[in-house]
Amino acid sequence: SHRREAIHPYLGFVLDPEKMPHTRVNKYGFVGDLPPLENSNHDDKFTIAIVGGSFAHGIAAGEGGKILVDKLTKSGNLNGKEPEIVNLALPGMKQPQQLFIINYFLSLGFHFDIILNIDGFNEIVLPVAENIKSETNVFYPRAWRFRVSSRIGTEEMKAACKLALKEDKRSSVADLFSKEPFQHSVTLNLIWSLLDTRFAQSIEKTRYEVTGALLNPTEKEKIIGSYAALGPSKKYLSESDIYHDLAAYWARSSQLIDVVSSYNDIYYFHFLQPNQYVEGNKVFNDEERKVALEGESEYRKPASGGYPFLIKQGKQIHSSGVKYTNLTMLFKGNDSILYKDNCCHLNEKGYKLVASEIADIVIQSIWPDL
Protein backbone atom coordinates (compact mmCIF):
# COMPACT_ATOMS: atom_id res chain seq x y z
CA SER A 1 0.00 0.00 0.00
CA HIS A 2 1.05 3.60 -0.46
CA ARG A 3 1.70 4.13 3.24
CA ARG A 4 4.56 1.64 2.95
CA GLU A 5 6.13 3.41 0.01
CA ALA A 6 8.41 6.43 -0.10
CA ILE A 7 8.88 8.99 -2.84
CA HIS A 8 12.35 8.77 -4.36
CA PRO A 9 13.69 11.85 -6.19
CA TYR A 10 14.91 9.81 -9.18
CA LEU A 11 13.00 6.53 -9.16
CA GLY A 12 9.45 7.69 -8.45
CA PHE A 13 8.64 5.41 -5.54
CA VAL A 14 10.32 2.66 -3.56
CA LEU A 15 9.47 0.73 -0.39
CA ASP A 16 9.99 2.61 2.85
CA PRO A 17 12.41 0.54 4.99
CA GLU A 18 11.50 2.49 8.13
CA LYS A 19 7.88 1.39 7.82
CA MET A 20 8.74 -2.23 7.00
CA PRO A 21 11.26 -3.12 9.74
CA HIS A 22 10.49 -6.86 9.74
CA THR A 23 11.12 -7.40 6.04
CA ARG A 24 14.22 -7.66 3.88
CA VAL A 25 13.80 -4.16 2.44
CA ASN A 26 17.25 -2.62 2.01
CA LYS A 27 18.14 1.04 2.54
CA TYR A 28 17.45 1.86 -1.13
CA GLY A 29 13.88 0.62 -0.93
CA PHE A 30 14.12 -2.74 -2.70
CA VAL A 31 13.63 -6.26 -1.38
CA GLY A 32 16.78 -8.27 -0.72
CA ASP A 33 20.50 -7.76 -0.87
CA LEU A 34 22.20 -4.88 -2.66
CA PRO A 35 24.47 -5.38 -5.67
CA PRO A 36 28.20 -5.26 -4.92
CA LEU A 37 30.03 -1.96 -5.31
CA GLU A 38 32.34 -1.61 -8.29
CA ASN A 39 35.35 -0.93 -6.09
CA SER A 40 34.62 -3.85 -3.72
CA ASN A 41 35.76 -7.42 -4.13
CA HIS A 42 33.03 -8.95 -6.28
CA ASP A 43 35.26 -11.42 -8.08
CA ASP A 44 33.39 -14.30 -6.43
CA LYS A 45 29.91 -13.06 -7.45
CA PHE A 46 28.07 -13.13 -10.77
CA THR A 47 25.37 -10.50 -10.27
CA ILE A 48 21.99 -10.76 -12.03
CA ALA A 49 19.82 -7.65 -11.65
CA ILE A 50 16.11 -8.04 -12.37
CA VAL A 51 14.03 -4.94 -13.13
CA GLY A 52 10.35 -4.48 -13.91
CA GLY A 53 7.05 -4.51 -12.05
CA SER A 54 5.24 -7.11 -9.94
CA PHE A 55 5.68 -9.81 -12.59
CA ALA A 56 9.46 -9.40 -12.53
CA HIS A 57 9.35 -9.15 -8.74
CA GLY A 58 7.42 -12.44 -8.62
CA ILE A 59 10.31 -14.14 -10.41
CA ALA A 60 13.14 -12.45 -8.52
CA ALA A 61 11.66 -12.95 -5.06
CA GLY A 62 10.32 -16.48 -5.55
CA GLU A 63 11.27 -19.89 -6.85
CA GLY A 64 11.98 -18.40 -10.28
CA GLY A 65 15.06 -16.66 -8.93
CA LYS A 66 16.32 -19.96 -7.54
CA ILE A 67 15.86 -21.61 -10.93
CA LEU A 68 17.87 -18.87 -12.61
CA VAL A 69 20.68 -19.31 -10.10
CA ASP A 70 20.57 -23.12 -10.37
CA LYS A 71 20.67 -23.19 -14.17
CA LEU A 72 23.47 -20.65 -14.40
CA THR A 73 25.45 -22.59 -11.80
CA LYS A 74 24.97 -25.87 -13.65
CA SER A 75 26.04 -24.28 -16.94
CA GLY A 76 29.60 -24.46 -15.64
CA ASN A 77 30.64 -21.21 -17.33
CA LEU A 78 30.90 -18.86 -14.36
CA ASN A 79 34.51 -19.78 -13.53
CA GLY A 80 33.69 -20.52 -9.93
CA LYS A 81 31.63 -17.37 -9.38
CA GLU A 82 28.40 -17.63 -7.43
CA PRO A 83 25.33 -16.30 -9.29
CA GLU A 84 23.38 -13.82 -7.18
CA ILE A 85 19.94 -12.33 -7.85
CA VAL A 86 19.56 -8.60 -7.17
CA ASN A 87 15.87 -7.73 -7.04
CA LEU A 88 15.36 -4.18 -8.39
CA ALA A 89 11.74 -4.79 -9.38
CA LEU A 90 8.71 -3.50 -7.48
CA PRO A 91 4.96 -3.86 -8.03
CA GLY A 92 3.59 -1.04 -10.17
CA MET A 93 6.91 0.07 -11.65
CA LYS A 94 7.05 0.86 -15.35
CA GLN A 95 9.38 2.59 -17.75
CA PRO A 96 11.23 4.86 -17.41
CA GLN A 97 11.68 3.64 -13.83
CA GLN A 98 13.72 0.62 -14.94
CA LEU A 99 15.94 2.89 -17.02
CA PHE A 100 16.43 5.28 -14.10
CA ILE A 101 17.06 2.46 -11.61
CA ILE A 102 19.92 1.08 -13.70
CA ASN A 103 21.48 4.49 -14.24
CA TYR A 104 21.04 5.43 -10.59
CA PHE A 105 22.75 2.33 -9.22
CA LEU A 106 25.54 2.49 -11.79
CA SER A 107 26.14 6.15 -10.93
CA LEU A 108 26.46 5.13 -7.27
CA GLY A 109 29.17 2.66 -8.24
CA PHE A 110 27.28 -0.61 -8.05
CA HIS A 111 28.18 -3.54 -10.28
CA PHE A 112 26.07 -5.85 -12.46
CA ASP A 113 27.04 -8.74 -14.72
CA ILE A 114 23.60 -9.28 -16.24
CA ILE A 115 20.47 -7.12 -16.35
CA LEU A 116 17.14 -8.84 -17.00
CA ASN A 117 14.27 -6.49 -17.83
CA ILE A 118 10.94 -8.34 -17.68
CA ASP A 119 8.10 -5.93 -18.44
CA GLY A 120 5.47 -4.72 -20.90
CA PHE A 121 2.16 -5.07 -19.11
CA ASN A 122 2.51 -2.07 -16.80
CA GLU A 123 3.87 0.10 -19.61
CA ILE A 124 0.90 -0.45 -21.92
CA VAL A 125 -1.93 -1.01 -19.40
CA LEU A 126 -1.46 1.23 -16.35
CA PRO A 127 -1.26 4.54 -18.27
CA VAL A 128 -4.57 3.77 -20.00
CA ALA A 129 -6.37 2.22 -17.01
CA GLU A 130 -5.15 4.78 -14.48
CA ASN A 131 -3.05 7.77 -15.60
CA ILE A 132 -5.24 9.01 -18.42
CA LYS A 133 -8.42 8.74 -16.36
CA SER A 134 -6.91 10.94 -13.67
CA GLU A 135 -5.44 13.33 -16.29
CA THR A 136 -1.91 12.42 -15.16
CA ASN A 137 0.92 12.29 -17.67
CA VAL A 138 1.03 8.77 -19.11
CA PHE A 139 4.76 8.42 -18.47
CA TYR A 140 4.52 9.36 -14.79
CA PRO A 141 4.76 6.61 -12.14
CA ARG A 142 1.67 4.74 -11.11
CA ALA A 143 -0.82 6.66 -8.92
CA TRP A 144 1.48 9.68 -8.94
CA ARG A 145 -1.34 12.06 -8.08
CA PHE A 146 -2.09 10.09 -4.93
CA ARG A 147 1.56 9.86 -3.92
CA VAL A 148 2.38 13.57 -4.10
CA SER A 149 -0.90 15.33 -3.36
CA SER A 150 -1.46 16.59 0.18
CA ARG A 151 -5.20 16.70 -0.46
CA ILE A 152 -6.39 13.11 -0.32
CA GLY A 153 -10.12 12.52 -0.61
CA THR A 154 -12.29 10.56 1.83
CA GLU A 155 -12.94 7.66 -0.54
CA GLU A 156 -9.26 7.38 -1.37
CA MET A 157 -8.38 7.21 2.33
CA LYS A 158 -11.04 4.57 3.04
CA ALA A 159 -9.86 2.35 0.19
CA ALA A 160 -6.19 2.78 1.12
CA CYS A 161 -6.87 1.94 4.79
CA LYS A 162 -8.85 -1.13 3.79
CA LEU A 163 -5.96 -2.30 1.64
CA ALA A 164 -3.44 -1.63 4.41
CA LEU A 165 -5.47 -3.65 6.93
CA LYS A 166 -5.69 -6.63 4.60
CA GLU A 167 -1.96 -6.52 3.88
CA ASP A 168 -1.21 -6.31 7.62
CA LYS A 169 -3.44 -9.32 8.29
CA ARG A 170 -1.74 -11.29 5.52
CA SER A 171 1.69 -10.47 6.99
CA SER A 172 0.56 -11.43 10.51
CA VAL A 173 -0.70 -14.81 9.35
CA ALA A 174 2.54 -15.42 7.43
CA ASP A 175 4.56 -14.54 10.54
CA LEU A 176 2.48 -16.92 12.66
CA PHE A 177 2.93 -19.86 10.32
CA SER A 178 6.68 -19.21 10.06
CA LYS A 179 7.15 -19.87 13.81
CA GLU A 180 7.29 -23.02 15.89
CA PRO A 181 5.49 -25.41 15.79
CA PHE A 182 3.80 -24.40 12.52
CA GLN A 183 6.86 -24.05 10.27
CA HIS A 184 7.73 -27.77 10.27
CA SER A 185 4.22 -29.07 9.60
CA VAL A 186 3.43 -29.97 5.98
CA THR A 187 -0.31 -29.83 6.69
CA LEU A 188 -0.16 -26.44 8.38
CA ASN A 189 2.03 -25.05 5.59
CA LEU A 190 -0.56 -26.26 3.08
CA ILE A 191 -3.26 -24.47 5.08
CA TRP A 192 -1.14 -21.30 5.10
CA SER A 193 -0.62 -21.56 1.34
CA LEU A 194 -4.37 -21.76 0.75
CA LEU A 195 -5.01 -18.86 3.13
CA ASP A 196 -2.29 -16.77 1.52
CA THR A 197 -3.78 -17.34 -1.94
CA ARG A 198 -7.16 -16.11 -0.70
CA PHE A 199 -5.49 -13.10 0.92
CA ALA A 200 -3.72 -12.30 -2.35
CA GLN A 201 -6.96 -12.44 -4.33
CA SER A 202 -8.77 -10.26 -1.79
CA ILE A 203 -5.92 -7.75 -1.75
CA GLU A 204 -5.91 -7.54 -5.54
CA LYS A 205 -9.66 -6.85 -5.51
CA THR A 206 -9.14 -4.08 -2.96
CA ARG A 207 -6.39 -2.59 -5.12
CA TYR A 208 -9.01 -2.16 -7.83
CA GLU A 209 -11.12 -0.25 -5.28
CA VAL A 210 -8.14 1.98 -4.50
CA THR A 211 -7.67 2.66 -8.19
CA GLY A 212 -11.36 3.47 -8.53
CA ALA A 213 -11.11 5.93 -5.66
CA LEU A 214 -8.04 7.53 -7.20
CA LEU A 215 -9.97 8.11 -10.40
CA ASN A 216 -13.01 9.57 -8.66
CA PRO A 217 -13.84 12.69 -10.69
CA THR A 218 -14.92 14.67 -7.63
CA GLU A 219 -11.58 14.15 -5.93
CA LYS A 220 -9.67 14.69 -9.15
CA GLU A 221 -11.18 18.14 -9.59
CA LYS A 222 -9.65 19.25 -6.29
CA ILE A 223 -6.14 19.23 -7.70
CA ILE A 224 -6.64 20.15 -11.34
CA GLY A 225 -3.88 22.58 -12.20
CA SER A 226 -1.30 20.95 -9.91
CA TYR A 227 1.69 20.41 -12.17
CA ALA A 228 3.52 18.41 -9.47
CA ALA A 229 0.68 15.88 -9.38
CA LEU A 230 -0.39 15.77 -13.03
CA GLY A 231 2.70 16.71 -15.04
CA PRO A 232 2.69 18.04 -18.61
CA SER A 233 -0.61 17.33 -20.34
CA LYS A 234 -1.00 15.63 -23.68
CA LYS A 235 -4.22 14.89 -25.55
CA TYR A 236 -4.69 11.80 -27.72
CA LEU A 237 -7.15 11.54 -30.60
CA SER A 238 -7.59 7.75 -30.38
CA GLU A 239 -6.68 4.70 -28.32
CA SER A 240 -4.37 3.47 -31.06
CA ASP A 241 -2.40 6.73 -30.80
CA ILE A 242 -2.02 6.15 -27.06
CA TYR A 243 -0.84 2.55 -27.50
CA HIS A 244 1.58 3.53 -30.26
CA ASP A 245 3.07 6.28 -28.10
CA LEU A 246 3.41 4.03 -25.04
CA ALA A 247 4.93 1.13 -26.97
CA ALA A 248 7.43 3.39 -28.72
CA TYR A 249 8.44 4.90 -25.39
CA TRP A 250 8.82 1.40 -23.93
CA ALA A 251 11.06 0.43 -26.84
CA ARG A 252 13.27 3.53 -26.58
CA SER A 253 13.69 2.99 -22.84
CA SER A 254 14.90 -0.55 -23.46
CA GLN A 255 17.32 0.57 -26.14
CA LEU A 256 18.75 3.17 -23.77
CA ILE A 257 19.30 0.51 -21.09
CA ASP A 258 21.11 -1.54 -23.72
CA VAL A 259 23.41 1.39 -24.57
CA VAL A 260 24.26 1.96 -20.91
CA SER A 261 24.78 -1.76 -20.36
CA SER A 262 27.08 -2.14 -23.36
CA TYR A 263 29.18 0.82 -22.22
CA ASN A 264 29.59 -0.81 -18.80
CA ASP A 265 30.28 -4.34 -20.15
CA ILE A 266 26.98 -5.69 -18.83
CA TYR A 267 24.86 -8.31 -20.59
CA TYR A 268 21.36 -6.90 -21.08
CA PHE A 269 18.30 -9.02 -21.89
CA HIS A 270 14.78 -7.72 -22.41
CA PHE A 271 11.69 -9.95 -22.15
CA LEU A 272 8.08 -9.09 -22.95
CA GLN A 273 6.08 -10.77 -20.20
CA PRO A 274 3.21 -13.11 -21.12
CA ASN A 275 -0.37 -12.15 -20.37
CA GLN A 276 -3.66 -14.03 -20.45
CA TYR A 277 -5.36 -11.42 -22.63
CA VAL A 278 -3.03 -11.98 -25.59
CA GLU A 279 -5.01 -13.95 -28.16
CA GLY A 280 -4.03 -17.62 -28.38
CA ASN A 281 -1.51 -17.40 -25.54
CA LYS A 282 -2.53 -20.65 -23.80
CA VAL A 283 -5.27 -23.20 -23.19
CA PHE A 284 -7.50 -22.30 -20.23
CA ASN A 285 -9.42 -25.02 -18.40
CA ASP A 286 -12.62 -24.10 -16.56
CA GLU A 287 -10.89 -23.64 -13.19
CA GLU A 288 -8.20 -21.30 -14.51
CA ARG A 289 -10.69 -19.42 -16.67
CA LYS A 290 -12.69 -18.48 -13.57
CA VAL A 291 -9.59 -17.01 -11.95
CA ALA A 292 -7.79 -15.51 -14.94
CA LEU A 293 -10.46 -14.38 -17.38
CA GLU A 294 -13.78 -13.99 -15.60
CA GLY A 295 -14.87 -11.15 -13.36
CA GLU A 296 -14.39 -7.42 -13.79
CA SER A 297 -10.88 -6.31 -14.67
CA GLU A 298 -10.13 -2.77 -15.75
CA TYR A 299 -6.90 -4.09 -17.26
CA ARG A 300 -8.46 -6.48 -19.77
CA LYS A 301 -9.25 -3.97 -22.51
CA PRO A 302 -5.91 -2.09 -22.49
CA ALA A 303 -4.00 -5.39 -22.30
CA SER A 304 -5.77 -6.95 -25.28
CA GLY A 305 -5.67 -3.67 -27.19
CA GLY A 306 -2.14 -2.66 -26.30
CA TYR A 307 -0.13 -5.86 -26.48
CA PRO A 308 -0.16 -5.99 -30.32
CA PHE A 309 1.64 -2.62 -30.27
CA LEU A 310 4.23 -3.98 -27.83
CA ILE A 311 4.76 -7.06 -29.99
CA LYS A 312 5.27 -4.87 -33.06
CA GLN A 313 7.69 -2.54 -31.27
CA GLY A 314 9.48 -5.56 -29.84
CA LYS A 315 10.55 -6.51 -33.36
CA GLN A 316 12.13 -3.06 -33.67
CA ILE A 317 13.91 -3.54 -30.34
CA HIS A 318 15.33 -6.85 -31.58
CA SER A 319 16.37 -5.44 -34.94
CA SER A 320 18.28 -2.65 -33.18
CA GLY A 321 20.58 -5.24 -31.64
CA VAL A 322 19.03 -5.64 -28.19
CA LYS A 323 18.80 -9.22 -26.86
CA TYR A 324 15.01 -9.13 -26.81
CA THR A 325 12.54 -12.02 -26.52
CA ASN A 326 8.76 -12.04 -26.83
CA LEU A 327 7.45 -14.49 -24.20
CA THR A 328 3.74 -13.99 -24.92
CA MET A 329 3.43 -17.44 -26.54
CA LEU A 330 5.54 -19.29 -23.99
CA PHE A 331 2.46 -21.10 -22.63
CA LYS A 332 0.83 -21.80 -25.99
CA GLY A 333 -0.84 -25.21 -25.85
CA ASN A 334 -0.25 -25.49 -22.11
CA ASP A 335 -3.44 -26.33 -20.18
CA SER A 336 -1.94 -26.22 -16.68
CA ILE A 337 -3.22 -23.65 -14.21
CA LEU A 338 -0.60 -20.89 -14.33
CA TYR A 339 -2.42 -17.58 -13.74
CA LYS A 340 -3.56 -16.65 -10.24
CA ASP A 341 -5.65 -13.54 -10.93
CA ASN A 342 -7.44 -11.68 -13.73
CA CYS A 343 -4.71 -9.07 -14.04
CA CYS A 344 -1.35 -10.48 -15.07
CA HIS A 345 0.23 -12.52 -12.25
CA LEU A 346 1.31 -16.16 -12.28
CA ASN A 347 1.46 -18.82 -9.61
CA GLU A 348 4.85 -20.26 -8.68
CA LYS A 349 4.58 -22.93 -11.37
CA GLY A 350 4.09 -20.24 -14.00
CA TYR A 351 6.93 -18.09 -12.74
CA LYS A 352 9.24 -21.12 -12.69
CA LEU A 353 8.43 -21.85 -16.34
CA VAL A 354 9.23 -18.25 -17.29
CA ALA A 355 12.46 -18.25 -15.25
CA SER A 356 13.58 -21.53 -16.81
CA GLU A 357 13.04 -20.15 -20.32
CA ILE A 358 14.90 -16.95 -19.46
CA ALA A 359 17.82 -18.92 -18.03
CA ASP A 360 18.06 -21.04 -21.20
CA ILE A 361 18.02 -17.92 -23.41
CA VAL A 362 20.71 -16.21 -21.33
CA ILE A 363 22.97 -19.28 -21.34
CA GLN A 364 22.57 -19.89 -25.07
CA SER A 365 23.24 -16.24 -25.85
CA ILE A 366 26.33 -15.77 -23.69
CA TRP A 367 27.77 -19.27 -24.17
CA PRO A 368 26.44 -20.45 -27.57
CA ASP A 369 28.86 -23.37 -27.79
CA LEU A 370 27.25 -25.28 -24.93
Side-chain angles (χ1 to χ4, degrees):
S1 64
H2 300 303
R3 72 188 184 94
R4 293 181 176 179
E5 293 172 354
I7 298 299
H8 190 283
Y10 308 127
L11 309 182
F13 61 87
V14 293
L15 297 177
D16 189 339
E18 294 183 0
K19 294 180 180 178
M20 305 181 72
H22 303 299
T23 64
R24 292 186 62 235
V25 177
N26 58 56
K27 64 181 181 180
Y28 289 100
F30 294 91
V31 179
D33 298 327
L34 292 170
L37 286 165
E38 190 68 49
N39 58 4
S40 65
N41 182 15
H42 60 264
D43 292 340
D44 61 338
K45 298 289 186 181
F46 190 82
T47 309
I48 307 149
I50 297 180
V51 294
S54 56
F55 190 96
H57 178 77
I59 293 174
E63 293 297 317
K66 296 178 182 178
I67 285 179
L68 279 167
V69 166
D70 185 56
K71 282 204 165 188
L72 284 168
T73 301
K74 290 180 178 178
S75 72
N77 286 275
L78 301 184
N79 297 320
K81 291 186 177 183
E82 179 185 355
E84 179 180 57
I85 299 293
V86 177
N87 186 359
L88 298 180
L90 285 177
M93 280 195 164
K94 60 186 180 71
Q95 291 287 16
Q97 286 169 288
Q98 296 94 292
L99 173 62
F100 293 166
I101 287 166
I102 295 304
N103 280 279
Y104 179 62
F105 276 94
L106 287 176
S107 69
L108 291 174
F110 287 100
H111 168 80
F112 307 110
D113 290 294
I114 292 178
I115 294 171
L116 305 178
N117 180 21
I118 311 165
D119 66 359
F121 178 88
N122 287 358
E123 284 74 15
I124 206 72
V125 171
L126 296 186
V128 176
E130 300 176 9
N131 292 49
I132 287 177
K133 291 180 181 178
S134 64
E135 297 186 4
T136 305
N137 185 280
V138 294
F139 305 123
Y140 270 34
R142 185 183 196 183
W144 188 248
R145 177 175 79 84
F146 183 75
R147 300 178 197 277
V148 301
S149 176
S150 60
R151 288 169 287 181
I152 304 302
T154 302
E155 293 305 314
E156 291 174 339
M157 288 298 295
K158 285 181 180 179
C161 288
K162 186 178 179 181
L163 178 60
L165 288 171
K166 288 187 176 183
E167 289 184 330
D168 281 342
K169 190 172 183 179
R170 183 186 187 187
S171 297
S172 298
V173 172
D175 287 341
L176 175 64
F177 277 84
S178 67
K179 297 175 181 177
E180 297 284 356
F182 303 100
Q183 65 180 129
H184 299 301
S185 170
V186 175
T187 301
L188 290 173
N189 272 277
L190 176 60
I191 292 172
W192 168 77
S193 179
L194 295 172
L195 285 172
D196 192 64
T197 298
R198 296 188 70 175
F199 273 126
Q201 292 172 346
S202 178
I203 286 170
E204 191 62 34
K205 182 179 179 181
T206 306
R207 282 204 178 98
Y208 294 155
E209 294 178 15
V210 173
T211 301
L214 291 174
L215 303 178
N216 185 301
T218 302
E219 302 300 334
K220 180 187 68 177
E221 289 171 2
K222 293 182 180 180
I223 62 158
I224 287 178
S226 170
Y227 186 86
L230 304 181
S233 63
K234 183 173 182 178
K235 301 295 183 182
Y236 290 95
L237 298 177
S238 67
E239 283 192 357
S240 62
D241 288 339
I242 300 171
Y243 294 138
H244 179 272
D245 211 7
L246 292 171
Y249 188 87
W250 168 74
R252 287 193 297 270
S253 297
S254 180
Q255 290 165 340
L256 287 170
I257 296 177
D258 185 63
V259 171
V260 172
S261 299
S262 298
Y263 181 81
N264 288 279
D265 296 321
I266 301 168
Y267 294 107
Y268 171 61
F269 294 85
H270 185 190
F271 299 91
L272 173 58
Q273 69 190 76
N275 185 261
Q276 64 262 49
Y277 298 121
V278 177
E279 186 176 355
N281 71 97
K282 78 180 299 291
V283 177
F284 291 91
N285 60 34
D286 291 340
E287 184 177 352
E288 186 180 27
R289 184 175 295 277
K290 290 178 182 178
V291 174
L293 297 176
E294 295 182 3
E296 293 184 11
S297 175
E298 60 195 311
Y299 305 135
R300 181 173 193 147
K301 183 179 179 181
S304 59
Y307 254 81
F309 289 83
L310 292 176
I311 292 169
K312 182 178 180 180
Q313 282 291 335
K315 295 176 182 178
Q316 297 295 322
I317 297 174
H318 184 268
S319 65
S320 71
V322 177
K323 295 181 179 66
Y324 165 86
T325 304
N326 174 5
L327 296 178
T328 57
M329 291 297 144
L330 178 62
F331 306 141
K332 187 173 183 179
N334 192 325
D335 61 358
S336 300
I337 297 176
L338 302 178
Y339 285 96
K340 68 178 184 180
D341 59 32
N342 64 359
C343 166
C344 50
H345 303 108
L346 302 174
N347 56 29
E348 281 296 338
K349 182 177 181 179
Y351 283 133
K352 287 163 72 174
L353 287 174
V354 174
S356 180
E357 179 71 10
I358 288 174
D360 289 342
I361 290 170
V362 168
I363 292 168
Q364 291 167 13
S365 177
I366 299 177
W367 304 289
D369 296 330
L370 281 179

